[in-house]
Amino acid sequence: MRTLEHPRTEDLQLDAVLSALADPIRRTIVRQLADGHADQACIAFALPVGKSTSTHHFRVLREAGVIEQRYQGTAILNTLRAADLEARFPGLLTAVLAAT
Amino acid sequence: MRTLEHPRTEDLQLDAVLSALADPIRRTIVRQLADGHADQACIAFALPVGKSTSTHHFRVLREAGVIEQRYQGTAILNTLRAADLEARFPGLLTAVLAAT
DNA sequence: ACGTTAGTACGATGTTCGTCGTACTACAAG
DNA sequence: CTTGTAGTACGACGAACATCGTACTAACGT
C-alpha cells in the first residue's frame, strides 16, 4: 500500500494553511468536504482544471494539513481535518467556511 | 491632500484577505496594529525589508481592506479595520490573530 | 493476462510575488 | 528657500505558483 505524508497536528503552520485556503479552487474542495461529502475520491469534485493540476491542489491541501488522504484501491479518499485544524487554529476553518 | 483607495466593507474579498494574511511580514504588521499600536506610521514597524518592499506590503493590506491608511503630514497613519473585517468575515481576523 | 480506473511524475510555460535600489514627490520645519 | 522626513514610482530580478499534456504506475474487475 502506498502511503501519503501528513503533517502532525502540532506541526501545522499558519502560513501553509492560509496559503492553501487562499486559492479559490482549493476552497471549493474544502467546502465540498465540509458539506458532508467526506471520503470522496479526487475525481468526484468536478474541478475546472486538468487532472495533474487537480493532483497538485490536493497535494497542497494535504501538505498544509487541511485534508487527510488515504488510498482505497485506485482511488484516494479525502477527508477534512476539521478537528485537527480546530485544535491548532481555533475558529479559523469555521470562519473561512462561513465566509465562502 | 493625497487620498488612498480603500475597498468598502461589503466589497471585501476573501481571496484578497486570505492572501494578504498569508504573508508573515504582513501578519507582523497586523499583529502590531492589533496590539494597541494603532495610528502608527509605516516607518514605526521596523520590518526586516527595504523601504519600497515595506510600501508594497502596506499597499497589499490596504487594497485587501485589512488596514486603513490616511495621510498626516508626510506620514501615513495605519489602522486595523477590525470591525469591518468582523462584519464581513466574522471570526476570521480573531482566529488569525489568536494563531499568530 | 488484459483492459480500465485513479492518480502521479515530469517537464514546460506564463504569471504573480517578494525583494531590491534609485530616483522622485509631498509635506513640514527652520 | 532649503533641508529633512515619509512614503511612492519604476524597473529589474529570481523564486514560487497555477496550469497543461504526455507518459507512467498501482490497484481493481473480468
Side-chain angles (χ1 to χ4, degrees):
Chain A
M1 178 69 87
R2 293 161 288 177
T3 50
L4 292 164
E5 295 288 319
H6 293 80
R8 285 173 310 201
T9 304
E10 62 268 29
D11 292 336
L12 297 189
Q13 300 296 314
L14 184 57
D15 259 54
V17 172
L18 287 178
S19 297
L21 294 176
D23 185 280
I25 291 196
R26 291 194 288 261
R27 278 207 308 281
T28 302
I29 296 172
V30 170
R31 163 132 306 283
Q32 284 192 38
L33 287 174
D35 283 353
H37 299 91
D39 286 334
Q40 290 254 301
C42 299
I43 208 169
F45 287 78
L47 302 174
V49 292
K51 234 178 18 160
S52 19
T53 305
S54 179
T55 295
H56 164 68
H57 285 304
F58 278 98
R59 172 160 38 191
V60 171
L61 286 171
R62 171 171 51 81
E63 292 182 345
V66 177
I67 65 173
E68 196 228 323
Q69 298 192 290
R70 62 177 204 281
Y71 281 101
Q72 170 138 339
T74 67
I76 283 185
L77 300 188
N78 298 279
T79 315
L80 195 55
R81 292 181 62 180
D84 292 340
L85 286 168
E86 180 62 23
R88 186 78 174 78
F89 307 120
L92 181 58
L93 180 62
T94 309
V96 171
L97 284 173
T100 305
Chain B
M1 176 69 86
R2 293 160 288 177
T3 50
L4 292 164
E5 296 287 320
H6 293 80
R8 285 173 309 201
T9 305
E10 61 268 30
D11 292 336
L12 298 189
Q13 300 296 315
L14 184 57
D15 258 53
V17 172
L18 287 179
S19 298
L21 295 176
D23 185 279
I25 291 196
R26 291 193 288 260
R27 278 206 307 282
T28 301
I29 296 171
V30 170
R31 162 131 307 284
Q32 285 192 38
L33 287 174
D35 282 353
H37 298 91
D39 286 335
Q40 290 255 299
C42 299
I43 207 167
F45 286 80
L47 302 174
V49 291
K51 234 179 16 161
S52 20
T53 306
S54 179
T55 295
H56 164 68
H57 285 304
F58 278 97
R59 171 158 38 189
V60 171
L61 285 171
R62 172 171 50 81
E63 293 182 342
V66 177
I67 65 174
E68 195 228 323
Q69 299 192 290
R70 62 176 203 282
Y71 280 101
Q72 168 136 339
T74 67
I76 283 183
L77 300 189
N78 298 278
T79 316
L80 195 55
R81 292 181 64 181
D84 292 340
L85 286 168
E86 180 63 23
R88 186 79 174 79
F89 307 121
L92 181 57
L93 180 62
T94 310
V96 171
L97 284 173
T100 306

